[in-house]
Amino acid sequence: MKSTLRHKLLSTVAVLAGVACGATALAADEMFIPVLTYRTGAYAPNGVPFTNGIVDYYKLVNARDGGVNGIKIAFEECETGYTADRGVECYERLKSKKPIVVNPLSTGITFALTDKAPGDKIPVVTVGYGRSESADGSVFKWNFPLLGTYWNAADILVQHVAKLNNGNLKGKKIALVYHDSPYGKEPIPVLEEHAKIMGYELIKLPVTSPGVEQKATWLQIRQQRPDYVFLWGWGVMNSAAVKEATAVGYPRDKMYGVWWAASEPDVLPAEASAIGYHGLALQHSDEKDAKVHMDVLKFVHAKGNGTGPKEEVGTVLYNRGLINGMLVVEAIRTAQAKFGKRVITGEEMRWGLENLNITAARAKEIGFEGLVQPVKTACNDHVGASSARIHTWDGKQWNITSGWYQADSKFLRPMVEEQAKKYAAEKHLEKRDCSKEA
């Protein structure tokens, strides 16, 4: 990785902190998508590149293709600061523009919007985050945790460390260092259930937001000496964890971050002490040479319309933003194939999201070869793909260090259905009969 990339990744936040796409009048032939973001605060180092990737993809589709089947995408950013109350405020303010979809970019905001979506008829897309039980579309009709849930992530991490131990984790200790929020608590049920079956001890160590102060947490780790640490952090919490691990002598090669704790902003501030740290790669890593990257540079950055520095194109979170934007656009295209090449409604967008079928050939056609695996959703499966790999930081870049893991649906699906059933009972929702859904 070029040194200029590191400098710009660490300094861009200050430049972009107060920048957001200005509100524009919505034309009759445009589809509106709000962009909830956080360019300020402790989570900005991660929120900025993720948002830039999303926005640049919308810009690319408008500039290169003239929109989706001739219908342009209109978008407006709203700063949430990664807080649920501000996220809801943004949603309520922008709802009057009749958005066809919303990307909360926060698990906490997702929890708040889940109850609103059915009445507002606005689908909630959460790529790699959100409520894990919302994988069951028969109950969560409007939620789409595409590509992977936190339960998938926890299961895959357990699979990986079990493989390192010839399938036997009995007597081992796994510490979960987690953001004390709905996001950080998501993996606990899966890790606890696996612990019962596999015989390892789970040590749960919550970290108060924003997570800069972790000395007490890592003193406990030094005392209890877990065999592995799973890091479920976000923003500055991640690099702080790596630094504290170094301070207490805990080996970084025994640390595994969820895919939101395994990007460049998570390791660059820790410098050399981050070498050997592992994380989940959600479909992609820091691939930089896909056709979509070339198109973004040509049609967006070369025209002076890039949202951030061009050096961030191809970094982990920027790639995830591109993928997020692509999934939304492909769902629009799917809906238009059924309902007509026009401005679609939120209800029609929901159908498009539930009938996504991005094959390997289609991924290549739209420039995402090597960035995503095939994605196919259905009424009872709002995830569409549940695979990930491990990548490891070498001090300059992320390197893929494992093969593909597939989340164990036989283990997870009963948990998903049980929790979805509880939610349906609590909210007095009628479960859909997916066998009758067209």
Side-chain angles (χ1 to χ4, degrees), residues 72-94:
K72 288 199 172 184
I73 298 171
F75 55 89
E76 181 180 337
E77 288 193 28
C78 188
E79 176 66 34
T80 71
Y82 195 70
T83 63
D85 56 345
R86 290 179 65 183
V88 171
E89 288 174 9
C90 284
Y91 172 81
E92 292 294 344
R93 179 171 67 80
L94 297 175

Side-chain angles (χ1 to χ4, degrees), residues 311-328:
E311 289 82 3
E312 78 177 359
V313 175
T315 56
V316 172
L317 289 173
Y318 184 90
N319 281 344
R320 198 164 304 159
L322 285 179
I323 292 168
N324 191 306
M326 178 272 288
L327 292 169
V328 167

Side-chain angles (χ1 to χ4, degrees), residues 85-391:
D85 56 345
R86 290 179 65 183
V88 171
E89 288 174 9
C90 284
Y91 172 81
E92 292 294 344
R93 179 171 67 80
L94 297 175
K95 189 170 66 177
S96 63
K97 296 192 175 186
K98 298 181 178 179
I100 61 171
V101 69
V102 62
N103 299 273
L105 303 192
S106 155
T107 296
I109 298 173
T110 299
F111 271 66
L113 297 187
T114 295
D115 293 343
K116 295 176 176 291
D120 294 335
K121 299 189 185 306
I122 301 171
V124 179
V125 170
T126 57
V127 178
Y129 64 98
R131 304 183 70 123
S132 295
E133 68 268 37
S134 67
D136 186 353
S138 68
V139 172
F140 293 89
K141 183 177 180 179
W142 295 88
N143 289 62
F144 292 87
L146 299 171
L147 299 191
T149 69
Y150 291 133
W151 289 3
N152 295 150
D155 177 73
I156 289 172
L157 284 178
V158 171
Q159 285 187 49
H160 180 69
V161 296
K163 184 178 180 180
L164 296 178
N165 290 273
N166 299 313
N168 182 16
L169 290 177
K170 188 173 183 178
K172 300 291 185 182
K173 291 183 181 180
I174 296 176
L176 174 67
V177 177
Y178 66 96
H179 192 275
D180 195 8
S181 67
Y183 153 60
K185 296 173 184 177
E186 274 285 305
I188 292 176
V190 169
L191 296 176
E192 288 180 334
E193 194 63 26
H194 269 313
K196 294 176 187 176
I197 297 169
M198 305 183 79
Y200 64 80
E201 178 185 350
L202 178 63
I203 304 166
K204 293 175 287 187
L205 300 171
V207 175
T208 303
S209 178
V212 176
E213 178 50 60
Q214 297 181 41
K215 292 188 183 301
T217 299
W218 289 91
L219 286 175
Q220 289 185 65
I221 288 174
R222 183 170 69 179
Q223 181 182 31
Q224 301 198 44
R225 302 176 66 181
D227 297 278
Y228 301 101
V229 169
F230 292 170
L231 178 61
W232 230 267
W234 188 226
V236 295
M237 174 180 165
N238 296 328
S239 57
V242 174
K243 291 177 183 177
E244 291 296 344
T246 305
V248 300
Y250 190 82
R252 267 68 70 210
D253 64 358
K254 298 294 184 180
M255 293 176 64
Y256 291 86
V258 68
W259 43 62
W260 298 111
S263 64
E264 289 84 357
D266 303 318
V267 289
L268 286 174
E271 300 181 329
S273 63
I275 294 173
Y277 171 72
H278 311 286
L280 278 178
L282 178 63
Q283 301 273 331
H284 60 93
S285 186
D286 60 351
E287 295 89 351
K288 300 174 176 63
D289 300 319
K291 184 178 182 298
V292 67
H293 297 134
M294 303 303 106
D295 284 353
V296 166
L297 293 173
K298 177 180 178 181
F299 292 98
V300 180
H301 278 276
K303 306 297 183 182
N305 202 27
T307 312
K310 66 180 182 180
E311 289 82 3
E312 78 177 359
V313 175
T315 56
V316 172
L317 289 173
Y318 184 90
N319 281 344
R320 198 164 304 159
L322 285 179
I323 292 168
N324 191 306
M326 178 272 288
L327 292 169
V328 167
V329 168
E330 290 303 295
I332 293 172
R333 208 181 302 276
T334 300
Q336 287 178 331
K338 179 177 175 64
F339 301 105
K341 297 178 180 180
R342 55 169 173 77
V343 175
I344 61 171
T345 66
E347 290 180 277
E348 292 166 345
M349 179 64 171
R350 194 211 66 78
W351 187 92
L353 286 161
E354 192 168 89
N355 290 273
L356 269 177
N357 185 15
I358 303 173
T359 63
R362 179 58 181 165
K364 181 177 181 179
E365 182 181 1
I366 58 178
F368 282 82
E369 184 178 25
L371 287 175
V372 291
Q373 297 288 292
V375 183
K376 185 176 175 60
T377 55
C379 171
N380 64 352
D381 178 11
H382 278 196
V383 181
S386 302
S387 57
R389 297 175 290 181
I390 302 296
H391 63 181

Side-chain angles (χ1 to χ4, degrees), residues 395-417:
K396 295 181 179 180
Q397 64 183 8
W398 291 101
N399 298 296
I400 296 296
T401 50
S402 82
W404 287 102
Y405 287 97
Q406 185 71 32
D408 185 352
S409 60
K410 290 183 179 179
F411 171 76
L412 294 173
R413 187 66 190 187
M415 296 179 63
V416 168
E417 292 182 354

Side-chain angles (χ1 to χ4, degrees), residues 16-87:
L16 295 178
V19 178
C21 297
T24 57
L26 184 64
D29 59 346
E30 292 179 328
M31 292 174 289
F32 178 65
I33 302 175
V35 179
L36 306 190
T37 188
Y38 31 97
R39 295 187 179 278
T40 62
Y43 306 101
N46 302 70
V48 168
F50 186 25
T51 304
N52 289 350
I54 295 174
V55 172
D56 275 359
Y57 193 72
Y58 295 156
K59 289 179 178 179
L60 172 64
V61 169
N62 284 342
R64 182 192 62 193
D65 308 331
V68 189
N69 288 314
I71 309 298
K72 288 199 172 184
I73 298 171
F75 55 89
E76 181 180 337
E77 288 193 28
C78 188
E79 176 66 34
T80 71
Y82 195 70
T83 63
D85 56 345
R86 290 179 65 183

